[in-house]
Amino acid sequence: MANDPLPRPVLVIDTTGRWCAAALRSGDGQVFQRDEAMERGQAERLAPLVAELLAEADLEARALGRIGVATGPGSFAGTRAGTAFARGLAVATGARAIGISSLAALAREADPEGTATLFAAHDARRGELVWQVFERGVALGEPTRSDVDGARDALAGSGAARVTGSGAPLLGGPADWRDHAPLHALLALCGEAGRDAPLPSPHYARPPDAALPGGIMP
């Protein structure tokens, strides 16, 4: 009906890699996005970037209905900054914060119709990958960290027709893979999330190398 209210806007953010990125889908379906290459400093840049998106869409933060955030696997500092920001903004605005696996977003981007078996792999460096198999858009098991040989064996046994993610070149996938923020896939997954969707909680590729005094991990 003409008088039906528009859906509430959805914001997604991704700071898990060498970027600071966010996308906003307004109630009428328009999408606004920012994606800036960045080695570090996401924590300082993220709030101004989101403010710019909201201004472009002529929206106030309190209009948001959902805030989705890529929870990794990814860089330690970036992943922590993104999840903390999403949870804080949700508390301040009353929006619902939703954590979205970066591997799930990559799988959704590669197979938007959910018809294939995919192997999503993140290059965790130091000869390790974090990987997960998706069949028709559904994850089969939890993300696994292994060396490259272990991931190759898992890929061979998965029946996956395609490999995606920054680890793809190490597994025979596209050598020219460009690591990036899958913003439109994040928007789709955030919008589809049910009531049991998890709150944002970072999934680090590996524990941090540094420890605080007394052996406490940051």
Side-chain angles (χ1 to χ4, degrees):
M1 296 177 62
N3 293 328
D4 286 349
L6 292 173
R8 295 187 68 186
V10 174
L11 171 72
V12 294
I13 61 178
D14 188 347
T15 55
T16 60
R18 296 175 180 177
W19 56 76
C20 185
L24 172 66
R25 186 175 63 219
S26 63
D28 61 4
Q30 293 188 78
V31 174
F32 307 84
Q33 65 183 62
R34 295 279 193 283
D35 190 346
E36 301 178 3
M38 192 173 299
E39 290 285 341
R40 57 181 61 86
Q42 289 95 334
E44 293 77 19
R45 176 60 183 137
L46 184 54
L49 185 147
V50 168
E52 292 166 11
L53 274 181
L54 289 166
E56 183 180 356
D58 195 23
L59 290 172
E60 295 186 4
R62 64 187 179 190
L64 295 171
R66 293 186 173 196
I67 300 168
V69 58
T71 56
S75 73
F76 179 83
T79 302
R80 180 174 60 178
T83 53
F85 177 85
R87 293 186 73 142
L89 185 59
V91 170
T93 62
R96 183 177 171 206
I98 297 172
I100 304 168
S101 161
S102 298
L103 296 177
L106 289 168
R108 175 60 174 265
E109 180 183 63
D111 180 31
E113 302 301 322
T115 60
T117 300
L118 288 174
F119 195 93
H122 168 73
D123 183 359
R125 312 298 180 185
R126 305 180 193 173
E128 291 187 326
L129 300 175
V130 181
W131 52 267
Q132 194 170 21
V133 180
F134 293 82
E135 183 175 346
R136 297 181 180 274
V138 178
L140 304 180
E142 296 297 318
T144 299
R145 192 177 84 202
S146 72
D147 60 21
V148 176
D149 287 340
R152 286 195 184 114
D153 290 342
L155 172 61
S158 69
R162 183 175 177 185
V163 59
T164 187
S166 59
L170 299 174
L171 299 172
D176 60 349
W177 168 267
R178 182 186 66 85
D179 206 8
H180 62 284
L183 291 172
H184 286 269
L186 288 167
L187 277 173
L189 290 170
C190 185
E192 295 168 4
R195 294 185 178 275
D196 58 346
L199 288 171
S201 180
H203 177 180
Y204 302 120
R206 61 164 50 85
D209 295 326
L212 298 174
I216 300 173
M217 304 304 287

mmCIF file of all heavy atoms in Angstrom, residues 94-148:
data_model
loop_
_atom_site.group_PDB
_atom_site.id
_atom_site.type_symbol
_atom_site.label_atom_id
_atom_site.label_comp_id
_atom_site.label_asym_id
_atom_site.label_seq_id
_atom_site.Cartn_x
_atom_site.Cartn_y
_atom_site.Cartn_z
ATOM 1 N N GLY A 94 19.961 2.782 19.241
ATOM 2 C CA GLY A 94 18.868 1.841 19.380
ATOM 3 C C GLY A 94 18.746 0.887 18.211
ATOM 4 O O GLY A 94 17.805 0.077 18.155
ATOM 5 N N ALA A 95 19.676 0.953 17.268
ATOM 6 C CA ALA A 95 19.672 0.021 16.141
ATOM 7 C C ALA A 95 20.124 -1.355 16.607
ATOM 8 O O ALA A 95 20.697 -1.511 17.691
ATOM 9 C CB ALA A 95 20.594 0.528 15.024
ATOM 10 N N ARG A 96 19.873 -2.346 15.791
ATOM 11 C CA ARG A 96 20.283 -3.707 16.107
ATOM 12 C C ARG A 96 21.634 -3.992 15.463
ATOM 13 O O ARG A 96 21.818 -3.816 14.259
ATOM 14 C CB ARG A 96 19.248 -4.692 15.571
ATOM 15 C CG ARG A 96 19.544 -6.133 15.906
ATOM 16 C CD ARG A 96 18.431 -7.016 15.400
ATOM 17 N NE ARG A 96 18.793 -8.414 15.524
ATOM 18 C CZ ARG A 96 18.307 -9.381 14.781
ATOM 19 N NH1 ARG A 96 17.412 -9.092 13.848
ATOM 20 N NH2 ARG A 96 18.671 -10.622 14.946
ATOM 21 N N ALA A 97 22.619 -4.400 16.262
ATOM 22 C CA ALA A 97 23.947 -4.723 15.760
ATOM 23 C C ALA A 97 24.010 -6.203 15.387
ATOM 24 O O ALA A 97 23.575 -7.071 16.153
ATOM 25 C CB ALA A 97 25.009 -4.410 16.811
ATOM 26 N N ILE A 98 24.564 -6.489 14.218
ATOM 27 C CA ILE A 98 24.625 -7.853 13.698
ATOM 28 C C ILE A 98 26.035 -8.142 13.213
ATOM 29 O O ILE A 98 26.593 -7.400 12.397
ATOM 30 C CB ILE A 98 23.621 -8.037 12.536
ATOM 31 C CG1 ILE A 98 22.188 -7.830 13.033
ATOM 32 C CG2 ILE A 98 23.781 -9.411 11.886
ATOM 33 C CD1 ILE A 98 21.156 -7.799 11.936
ATOM 34 N N GLY A 99 26.626 -9.223 13.705
ATOM 35 C CA GLY A 99 27.930 -9.658 13.247
ATOM 36 C C GLY A 99 27.810 -10.558 12.026
ATOM 37 O O GLY A 99 26.965 -11.445 11.986
ATOM 38 N N ILE A 100 28.655 -10.321 11.031
ATOM 39 C CA ILE A 100 28.615 -11.085 9.785
ATOM 40 C C ILE A 100 30.009 -11.605 9.471
ATOM 41 O O ILE A 100 30.969 -10.829 9.376
ATOM 42 C CB ILE A 100 28.114 -10.213 8.614
ATOM 43 C CG1 ILE A 100 26.741 -9.609 8.941
ATOM 44 C CG2 ILE A 100 28.056 -11.026 7.324
ATOM 45 C CD1 ILE A 100 26.314 -8.530 7.981
ATOM 46 N N SER A 101 30.129 -12.909 9.327
ATOM 47 C CA SER A 101 31.408 -13.513 8.982
ATOM 48 C C SER A 101 31.915 -12.982 7.648
ATOM 49 O O SER A 101 31.179 -12.927 6.655
ATOM 50 C CB SER A 101 31.249 -15.036 8.896
ATOM 51 O OG SER A 101 32.310 -15.621 8.167
ATOM 52 N N SER A 102 33.182 -12.609 7.614
ATOM 53 C CA SER A 102 33.775 -12.150 6.364
ATOM 54 C C SER A 102 33.790 -13.258 5.318
ATOM 55 O O SER A 102 33.627 -12.998 4.116
ATOM 56 C CB SER A 102 35.200 -11.644 6.617
ATOM 57 O OG SER A 102 35.192 -10.539 7.490
ATOM 58 N N LEU A 103 33.991 -14.497 5.760
ATOM 59 C CA LEU A 103 33.978 -15.623 4.829
ATOM 60 C C LEU A 103 32.579 -15.809 4.242
ATOM 61 O O LEU A 103 32.427 -16.093 3.044
ATOM 62 C CB LEU A 103 34.442 -16.898 5.528
ATOM 63 C CG LEU A 103 35.883 -16.911 6.027
ATOM 64 C CD1 LEU A 103 36.175 -18.215 6.776
ATOM 65 C CD2 LEU A 103 36.864 -16.732 4.871
ATOM 66 N N ALA A 104 31.548 -15.655 5.065
ATOM 67 C CA ALA A 104 30.177 -15.769 4.570
ATOM 68 C C ALA A 104 29.871 -14.678 3.552
ATOM 69 O O ALA A 104 29.183 -14.923 2.546
ATOM 70 C CB ALA A 104 29.190 -15.702 5.727
ATOM 71 N N ALA A 105 30.371 -13.475 3.791
ATOM 72 C CA ALA A 105 30.138 -12.378 2.857
ATOM 73 C C ALA A 105 30.829 -12.640 1.526
ATOM 74 O O ALA A 105 30.269 -12.383 0.453
ATOM 75 C CB ALA A 105 30.607 -11.058 3.458
ATOM 76 N N LEU A 106 32.052 -13.166 1.574
ATOM 77 C CA LEU A 106 32.763 -13.481 0.342
ATOM 78 C C LEU A 106 32.056 -14.588 -0.431
ATOM 79 O O LEU A 106 31.963 -14.548 -1.664
ATOM 80 C CB LEU A 106 34.199 -13.890 0.662
ATOM 81 C CG LEU A 106 35.109 -12.758 1.138
ATOM 82 C CD1 LEU A 106 36.404 -13.326 1.701
ATOM 83 C CD2 LEU A 106 35.408 -11.801 -0.015
ATOM 84 N N ALA A 107 31.555 -15.582 0.295
ATOM 85 C CA ALA A 107 30.821 -16.660 -0.365
ATOM 86 C C ALA A 107 29.540 -16.129 -1.004
ATOM 87 O O ALA A 107 29.181 -16.521 -2.122
ATOM 88 C CB ALA A 107 30.502 -17.768 0.639
ATOM 89 N N ARG A 108 28.856 -15.235 -0.316
ATOM 90 C CA ARG A 108 27.615 -14.664 -0.856
ATOM 91 C C ARG A 108 27.921 -13.837 -2.109
ATOM 92 O O ARG A 108 27.180 -13.874 -3.101
ATOM 93 C CB ARG A 108 26.937 -13.806 0.206
ATOM 94 C CG ARG A 108 25.699 -13.064 -0.275
ATOM 95 C CD ARG A 108 24.610 -14.036 -0.768
ATOM 96 N NE ARG A 108 23.390 -13.343 -1.092
ATOM 97 C CZ ARG A 108 22.363 -13.202 -0.245
ATOM 98 N NH1 ARG A 108 22.431 -13.705 0.978
ATOM 99 N NH2 ARG A 108 21.276 -12.576 -0.611
ATOM 100 N N GLU A 109 29.007 -13.096 -2.071
ATOM 101 C CA GLU A 109 29.381 -12.287 -3.219
ATOM 102 C C GLU A 109 29.684 -13.170 -4.436
ATOM 103 O O GLU A 109 29.295 -12.851 -5.571
ATOM 104 C CB GLU A 109 30.607 -11.436 -2.880
ATOM 105 C CG GLU A 109 31.089 -10.539 -4.002
ATOM 106 C CD GLU A 109 32.343 -9.792 -3.627
ATOM 107 O OE1 GLU A 109 33.387 -10.443 -3.385
ATOM 108 O OE2 GLU A 109 32.289 -8.543 -3.578
ATOM 109 N N ALA A 110 30.386 -14.283 -4.201
ATOM 110 C CA ALA A 110 30.760 -15.172 -5.293
ATOM 111 C C ALA A 110 29.599 -16.007 -5.803
ATOM 112 O O ALA A 110 29.593 -16.437 -6.958
ATOM 113 C CB ALA A 110 31.897 -16.093 -4.837
ATOM 114 N N ASP A 111 28.603 -16.247 -4.948
ATOM 115 C CA ASP A 111 27.466 -17.106 -5.310
ATOM 116 C C ASP A 111 26.184 -16.477 -4.782
ATOM 117 O O ASP A 111 25.558 -16.987 -3.860
ATOM 118 C CB ASP A 111 27.683 -18.506 -4.718
ATOM 119 C CG ASP A 111 26.555 -19.471 -5.047
ATOM 120 O OD1 ASP A 111 25.939 -19.325 -6.122
ATOM 121 O OD2 ASP A 111 26.286 -20.366 -4.223
ATOM 122 N N PRO A 112 25.770 -15.349 -5.362
ATOM 123 C CA PRO A 112 24.626 -14.614 -4.803
ATOM 124 C C PRO A 112 23.317 -15.390 -4.832
ATOM 125 O O PRO A 112 22.434 -15.137 -4.014
ATOM 126 C CB PRO A 112 24.551 -13.360 -5.685
ATOM 127 C CG PRO A 112 25.293 -13.701 -6.923
ATOM 128 C CD PRO A 112 26.364 -14.644 -6.512
ATOM 129 N N GLU A 113 23.183 -16.333 -5.736
ATOM 130 C CA GLU A 113 21.944 -17.112 -5.820
ATOM 131 C C GLU A 113 21.953 -18.329 -4.903
ATOM 132 O O GLU A 113 20.934 -19.003 -4.745
ATOM 133 C CB GLU A 113 21.703 -17.556 -7.264
ATOM 134 C CG GLU A 113 21.604 -16.409 -8.263
ATOM 135 C CD GLU A 113 20.488 -15.449 -7.920
ATOM 136 O OE1 GLU A 113 19.421 -15.920 -7.474
ATOM 137 O OE2 GLU A 113 20.671 -14.229 -8.101
ATOM 138 N N GLY A 114 23.094 -18.642 -4.315
ATOM 139 C CA GLY A 114 23.181 -19.788 -3.414
ATOM 140 C C GLY A 114 22.935 -21.111 -4.103
ATOM 141 O O GLY A 114 22.163 -21.936 -3.621
ATOM 142 N N THR A 115 23.632 -21.326 -5.210
ATOM 143 C CA THR A 115 23.415 -22.555 -5.981
ATOM 144 C C THR A 115 24.641 -23.457 -6.049
ATOM 145 O O THR A 115 24.555 -24.565 -6.572
ATOM 146 C CB THR A 115 23.006 -22.209 -7.421
ATOM 147 O OG1 THR A 115 24.043 -21.430 -8.040
ATOM 148 C CG2 THR A 115 21.711 -21.410 -7.438
ATOM 149 N N ALA A 116 25.782 -23.003 -5.529
ATOM 150 C CA ALA A 116 27.042 -23.724 -5.719
ATOM 151 C C ALA A 116 27.645 -24.158 -4.387
ATOM 152 O O ALA A 116 27.180 -23.786 -3.308
ATOM 153 C CB ALA A 116 28.031 -22.842 -6.478
ATOM 154 N N THR A 117 28.688 -24.968 -4.493
ATOM 155 C CA THR A 117 29.530 -25.289 -3.345
ATOM 156 C C THR A 117 30.811 -24.488 -3.483
ATOM 157 O O THR A 117 31.503 -24.565 -4.508
ATOM 158 C CB THR A 117 29.874 -26.789 -3.281
ATOM 159 O OG1 THR A 117 28.655 -27.537 -3.174
ATOM 160 C CG2 THR A 117 30.750 -27.098 -2.077
ATOM 161 N N LEU A 118 31.118 -23.678 -2.466
ATOM 162 C CA LEU A 118 32.248 -22.754 -2.511
ATOM 163 C C LEU A 118 33.207 -23.010 -1.364
ATOM 164 O O LEU A 118 32.796 -23.415 -0.273
ATOM 165 C CB LEU A 118 31.763 -21.310 -2.412
ATOM 166 C CG LEU A 118 31.046 -20.703 -3.614
ATOM 167 C CD1 LEU A 118 30.538 -19.326 -3.252
ATOM 168 C CD2 LEU A 118 31.982 -20.604 -4.801
ATOM 169 N N PHE A 119 34.469 -22.724 -1.613
ATOM 170 C CA PHE A 119 35.509 -22.806 -0.594
ATOM 171 C C PHE A 119 36.033 -21.389 -0.394
ATOM 172 O O PHE A 119 36.664 -20.820 -1.283
ATOM 173 C CB PHE A 119 36.625 -23.734 -1.073
ATOM 174 C CG PHE A 119 37.584 -24.182 -0.005
ATOM 175 C CD1 PHE A 119 37.382 -25.363 0.677
ATOM 176 C CD2 PHE A 119 38.714 -23.433 0.295
ATOM 177 C CE1 PHE A 119 38.270 -25.806 1.641
ATOM 178 C CE2 PHE A 119 39.606 -23.856 1.263
ATOM 179 C CZ PHE A 119 39.391 -25.047 1.942
ATOM 180 N N ALA A 120 35.722 -20.774 0.736
ATOM 181 C CA ALA A 120 36.158 -19.412 1.042
ATOM 182 C C ALA A 120 37.390 -19.481 1.932
ATOM 183 O O ALA A 120 37.379 -20.159 2.964
ATOM 184 C CB ALA A 120 35.050 -18.634 1.731
ATOM 185 N N ALA A 121 38.455 -18.800 1.538
ATOM 186 C CA ALA A 121 39.724 -18.901 2.262
ATOM 187 C C ALA A 121 40.348 -17.531 2.464
ATOM 188 O O ALA A 121 40.487 -16.754 1.510
ATOM 189 C CB ALA A 121 40.693 -19.805 1.503
ATOM 190 N N HIS A 122 40.712 -17.244 3.689
ATOM 191 C CA HIS A 122 41.402 -16.006 4.046
ATOM 192 C C HIS A 122 42.880 -16.297 4.242
ATOM 193 O O HIS A 122 43.249 -17.244 4.960
ATOM 194 C CB HIS A 122 40.811 -15.427 5.336
ATOM 195 C CG HIS A 122 41.631 -14.328 5.939
ATOM 196 N ND1 HIS A 122 41.710 -13.069 5.393
ATOM 197 C CD2 HIS A 122 42.423 -14.317 7.054
ATOM 198 C CE1 HIS A 122 42.508 -12.323 6.142
ATOM 199 N NE2 HIS A 122 42.944 -13.043 7.147
ATOM 200 N N ASP A 123 43.737 -15.503 3.619
ATOM 201 C CA ASP A 123 45.184 -15.640 3.783
ATOM 202 C C ASP A 123 45.585 -15.023 5.122
ATOM 203 O O ASP A 123 45.615 -13.806 5.266
ATOM 204 C CB ASP A 123 45.904 -14.946 2.627
ATOM 205 C CG ASP A 123 47.418 -15.115 2.682
ATOM 206 O OD1 ASP A 123 47.914 -15.765 3.633
ATOM 207 O OD2 ASP A 123 48.099 -14.607 1.770
ATOM 208 N N ALA A 124 45.879 -15.880 6.092
ATOM 209 C CA ALA A 124 46.250 -15.409 7.428
ATOM 210 C C ALA A 124 47.742 -15.161 7.559
ATOM 211 O O ALA A 124 48.228 -14.878 8.651
ATOM 212 C CB ALA A 124 45.800 -16.432 8.475
ATOM 213 N N ARG A 125 48.471 -15.288 6.467
ATOM 214 C CA ARG A 125 49.918 -15.076 6.418
ATOM 215 C C ARG A 125 50.646 -16.199 7.166
ATOM 216 O O ARG A 125 50.044 -17.076 7.741
ATOM 217 C CB ARG A 125 50.318 -13.702 6.974
ATOM 218 C CG ARG A 125 49.496 -12.537 6.415
ATOM 219 C CD ARG A 125 49.666 -12.386 4.919
ATOM 220 N NE ARG A 125 48.880 -11.282 4.391
ATOM 221 C CZ ARG A 125 48.774 -10.994 3.086
ATOM 222 N NH1 ARG A 125 49.380 -11.759 2.205
ATOM 223 N NH2 ARG A 125 48.034 -9.986 2.684
ATOM 224 N N ARG A 126 51.971 -16.141 7.089
ATOM 225 C CA ARG A 126 52.837 -17.120 7.749
ATOM 226 C C ARG A 126 52.506 -18.551 7.323
ATOM 227 O O ARG A 126 52.628 -19.498 8.100
ATOM 228 C CB ARG A 126 52.753 -17.006 9.279
ATOM 229 C CG ARG A 126 53.053 -15.614 9.801
ATOM 230 C CD ARG A 126 52.959 -15.588 11.291
ATOM 231 N NE ARG A 126 52.936 -14.225 11.786
ATOM 232 C CZ ARG A 126 52.723 -13.879 13.049
ATOM 233 N NH1 ARG A 126 52.494 -14.828 13.951
ATOM 234 N NH2 ARG A 126 52.704 -12.627 13.419
ATOM 235 N N GLY A 127 52.061 -18.694 6.080
ATOM 236 C CA GLY A 127 51.782 -20.023 5.568
ATOM 237 C C GLY A 127 50.498 -20.646 6.078
ATOM 238 O O GLY A 127 50.327 -21.872 5.979
ATOM 239 N N GLU A 128 49.569 -19.829 6.597
ATOM 240 C CA GLU A 128 48.312 -20.348 7.129
ATOM 241 C C GLU A 128 47.118 -19.714 6.438
ATOM 242 O O GLU A 128 47.182 -18.569 5.970
ATOM 243 C CB GLU A 128 48.209 -20.099 8.637
ATOM 244 C CG GLU A 128 49.178 -20.908 9.470
ATOM 245 C CD GLU A 128 48.939 -20.755 10.950
ATOM 246 O OE1 GLU A 128 48.540 -19.644 11.374
ATOM 247 O OE2 GLU A 128 49.153 -21.727 11.690
ATOM 248 N N LEU A 129 46.024 -20.464 6.400
ATOM 249 C CA LEU A 129 44.758 -19.980 5.866
ATOM 250 C C LEU A 129 43.665 -20.226 6.895
ATOM 251 O O LEU A 129 43.754 -21.154 7.699
ATOM 252 C CB LEU A 129 44.388 -20.720 4.581
ATOM 253 C CG LEU A 129 45.356 -20.631 3.395
ATOM 254 C CD1 LEU A 129 44.867 -21.524 2.267
ATOM 255 C CD2 LEU A 129 45.482 -19.201 2.919
ATOM 256 N N VAL A 130 42.637 -19.387 6.858
ATOM 257 C CA VAL A 130 41.396 -19.662 7.585
ATOM 258 C C VAL A 130 40.340 -19.895 6.512
ATOM 259 O O VAL A 130 40.126 -19.033 5.658
ATOM 260 C CB VAL A 130 40.992 -18.496 8.501
ATOM 261 C CG1 VAL A 130 39.702 -18.846 9.248
ATOM 262 C CG2 VAL A 130 42.101 -18.184 9.500
ATOM 263 N N TRP A 131 39.707 -21.067 6.538
ATOM 264 C CA TRP A 131 38.819 -21.434 5.441
ATOM 265 C C TRP A 131 37.507 -22.027 5.957
ATOM 266 O O TRP A 131 37.402 -22.459 7.101
ATOM 267 C CB TRP A 131 39.497 -22.420 4.495
ATOM 268 C CG TRP A 131 40.088 -23.631 5.165
ATOM 269 C CD1 TRP A 131 41.376 -23.782 5.598
ATOM 270 C CD2 TRP A 131 39.409 -24.850 5.488
ATOM 271 N NE1 TRP A 131 41.547 -25.020 6.169
ATOM 272 C CE2 TRP A 131 40.361 -25.698 6.117
ATOM 273 C CE3 TRP A 131 38.113 -25.307 5.322
ATOM 274 C CZ2 TRP A 131 40.033 -26.979 6.569
ATOM 275 C CZ3 TRP A 131 37.771 -26.583 5.773
ATOM 276 C CH2 TRP A 131 38.736 -27.395 6.386
ATOM 277 N N GLN A 132 36.531 -22.032 5.063
ATOM 278 C CA GLN A 132 35.211 -22.559 5.387
ATOM 279 C C GLN A 132 34.514 -22.941 4.078
ATOM 280 O O GLN A 132 34.666 -22.265 3.063
ATOM 281 C CB GLN A 132 34.391 -21.508 6.134
ATOM 282 C CG GLN A 132 33.134 -22.020 6.810
ATOM 283 C CD GLN A 132 32.512 -20.964 7.718
ATOM 284 O OE1 GLN A 132 32.767 -19.770 7.570
ATOM 285 N NE2 GLN A 132 31.694 -21.382 8.668
ATOM 286 N N VAL A 133 33.762 -24.025 4.115
ATOM 287 C CA VAL A 133 33.037 -24.498 2.941
ATOM 288 C C VAL A 133 31.577 -24.059 3.039
ATOM 289 O O VAL A 133 30.963 -24.147 4.113
ATOM 290 C CB VAL A 133 33.118 -26.030 2.811
ATOM 291 C CG1 VAL A 133 32.344 -26.516 1.576
ATOM 292 C CG2 VAL A 133 34.575 -26.489 2.737
ATOM 293 N N PHE A 134 31.033 -23.585 1.931
ATOM 294 C CA PHE A 134 29.633 -23.168 1.855
ATOM 295 C C PHE A 134 28.942 -23.955 0.743
ATOM 296 O O PHE A 134 29.453 -24.033 -0.376
ATOM 297 C CB PHE A 134 29.530 -21.664 1.567
ATOM 298 C CG PHE A 134 30.031 -20.802 2.679
ATOM 299 C CD1 PHE A 134 31.387 -20.540 2.825
ATOM 300 C CD2 PHE A 134 29.153 -20.254 3.604
ATOM 301 C CE1 PHE A 134 31.856 -19.748 3.859
ATOM 302 C CE2 PHE A 134 29.614 -19.461 4.639
ATOM 303 C CZ PHE A 134 30.971 -19.219 4.772
ATOM 304 N N GLU A 135 27.804 -24.521 1.073
ATOM 305 C CA GLU A 135 27.014 -25.252 0.090
ATOM 306 C C GLU A 135 25.643 -24.608 -0.016
ATOM 307 O O GLU A 135 24.911 -24.521 0.966
ATOM 308 C CB GLU A 135 26.873 -26.718 0.492
ATOM 309 C CG GLU A 135 26.124 -27.555 -0.546
ATOM 310 C CD GLU A 135 26.096 -29.022 -0.194
ATOM 311 O OE1 GLU A 135 26.870 -29.449 0.692
ATOM 312 O OE2 GLU A 135 25.295 -29.749 -0.810
ATOM 313 N N ARG A 136 25.328 -24.124 -1.204
ATOM 314 C CA ARG A 136 24.060 -23.423 -1.439
ATOM 315 C C ARG A 136 23.835 -22.309 -0.422
ATOM 316 O O ARG A 136 22.741 -22.133 0.120
ATOM 317 C CB ARG A 136 22.898 -24.410 -1.440
ATOM 318 C CG ARG A 136 22.976 -25.448 -2.547
ATOM 319 C CD ARG A 136 21.794 -26.385 -2.519
ATOM 320 N NE ARG A 136 21.887 -27.376 -3.573
ATOM 321 C CZ ARG A 136 21.461 -27.212 -4.824
ATOM 322 N NH1 ARG A 136 20.921 -26.062 -5.181
ATOM 323 N NH2 ARG A 136 21.584 -28.170 -5.723
ATOM 324 N N GLY A 137 24.895 -21.580 -0.123
ATOM 325 C CA GLY A 137 24.809 -20.434 0.766
ATOM 326 C C GLY A 137 24.852 -20.740 2.239
ATOM 327 O O GLY A 137 24.784 -19.827 3.065
ATOM 328 N N VAL A 138 24.987 -22.019 2.598
ATOM 329 C CA VAL A 138 24.999 -22.427 4.009
ATOM 330 C C VAL A 138 26.385 -22.939 4.383
ATOM 331 O O VAL A 138 26.971 -23.761 3.658
ATOM 332 C CB VAL A 138 23.945 -23.522 4.272
ATOM 333 C CG1 VAL A 138 23.989 -23.974 5.718
ATOM 334 C CG2 VAL A 138 22.552 -23.002 3.916
ATOM 335 N N ALA A 139 26.910 -22.462 5.505
ATOM 336 C CA ALA A 139 28.225 -22.900 5.961
ATOM 337 C C ALA A 139 28.180 -24.346 6.432
ATOM 338 O O ALA A 139 27.267 -24.746 7.163
ATOM 339 C CB ALA A 139 28.715 -21.999 7.094
ATOM 340 N N LEU A 140 29.171 -25.128 6.011
ATOM 341 C CA LEU A 140 29.311 -26.506 6.464
ATOM 342 C C LEU A 140 30.424 -26.547 7.501
ATOM 343 O O LEU A 140 31.603 -26.600 7.169
ATOM 344 C CB LEU A 140 29.648 -27.431 5.285
ATOM 345 C CG LEU A 140 28.667 -27.417 4.109
ATOM 346 C CD1 LEU A 140 29.140 -28.384 3.033
ATOM 347 C CD2 LEU A 140 27.258 -27.771 4.578
ATOM 348 N N GLY A 141 30.069 -26.473 8.763
ATOM 349 C CA GLY A 141 31.070 -26.453 9.813
ATOM 350 C C GLY A 141 31.577 -25.053 10.103
ATOM 351 O O GLY A 141 31.186 -24.071 9.469
ATOM 352 N N GLU A 142 32.455 -24.980 11.093
ATOM 353 C CA GLU A 142 33.014 -23.706 11.534
ATOM 354 C C GLU A 142 34.270 -23.360 10.723
ATOM 355 O O GLU A 142 34.881 -24.241 10.101
ATOM 356 C CB GLU A 142 33.373 -23.786 13.020
ATOM 357 C CG GLU A 142 32.176 -24.004 13.926
ATOM 358 C CD GLU A 142 31.194 -22.859 13.862
ATOM 359 O OE1 GLU A 142 31.651 -21.695 13.851
ATOM 360 O OE2 GLU A 142 29.980 -23.118 13.811
ATOM 361 N N PRO A 143 34.678 -22.087 10.738
ATOM 362 C CA PRO A 143 35.940 -21.734 10.085
ATOM 363 C C PRO A 143 37.106 -22.520 10.690
ATOM 364 O O PRO A 143 37.153 -22.747 11.898
ATOM 365 C CB PRO A 143 36.082 -20.239 10.368
ATOM 366 C CG PRO A 143 34.688 -19.773 10.612
ATOM 367 C CD PRO A 143 33.991 -20.909 11.293
ATOM 368 N N THR A 144 38.035 -22.927 9.847
ATOM 369 C CA THR A 144 39.177 -23.732 10.264
ATOM 370 C C THR A 144 40.467 -23.037 9.876
ATOM 371 O O THR A 144 40.587 -22.530 8.754
ATOM 372 C CB THR A 144 39.129 -25.120 9.593
ATOM 373 O OG1 THR A 144 37.936 -25.791 9.986
ATOM 374 C CG2 THR A 144 40.332 -25.963 9.991
ATOM 375 N N ARG A 145 41.435 -23.028 10.779
ATOM 376 C CA ARG A 145 42.756 -22.501 10.461
ATOM 377 C C ARG A 145 43.716 -23.663 10.253
ATOM 378 O O ARG A 145 43.776 -24.578 11.080
ATOM 379 C CB ARG A 145 43.268 -21.602 11.584
ATOM 380 C CG ARG A 145 44.509 -20.800 11.183
ATOM 381 C CD ARG A 145 44.956 -19.856 12.281
ATOM 382 N NE ARG A 145 45.788 -20.519 13.257
ATOM 383 C CZ ARG A 145 45.973 -20.077 14.497
ATOM 384 N NH1 ARG A 145 45.342 -19.011 14.915
ATOM 385 N NH2 ARG A 145 46.766 -20.716 15.321
ATOM 386 N N SER A 146 44.435 -23.644 9.157
ATOM 387 C CA SER A 146 45.374 -24.723 8.861
ATOM 388 C C SER A 146 46.497 -24.184 7.989
ATOM 389 O O SER A 146 46.439 -23.044 7.500
ATOM 390 C CB SER A 146 44.670 -25.876 8.145
ATOM 391 O OG SER A 146 44.344 -25.513 6.812
ATOM 392 N N ASP A 147 47.507 -25.016 7.761
ATOM 393 C CA ASP A 147 48.534 -24.622 6.801
ATOM 394 C C ASP A 147 47.969 -24.785 5.388
ATOM 395 O O ASP A 147 46.866 -25.297 5.184
ATOM 396 C CB ASP A 147 49.820 -25.414 7.002
ATOM 397 C CG ASP A 147 49.632 -26.923 6.845
ATOM 398 O OD1 ASP A 147 48.649 -27.362 6.209
ATOM 399 O OD2 ASP A 147 50.483 -27.676 7.359
ATOM 400 N N VAL A 148 48.732 -24.346 4.411
ATOM 401 C CA VAL A 148 48.239 -24.354 3.037
ATOM 402 C C VAL A 148 47.973 -25.772 2.558
ATOM 403 O O VAL A 148 46.970 -26.038 1.891
ATOM 404 C CB VAL A 148 49.227 -23.627 2.106
ATOM 405 C CG1 VAL A 148 48.764 -23.721 0.650
ATOM 406 C CG2 VAL A 148 49.375 -22.155 2.511
#
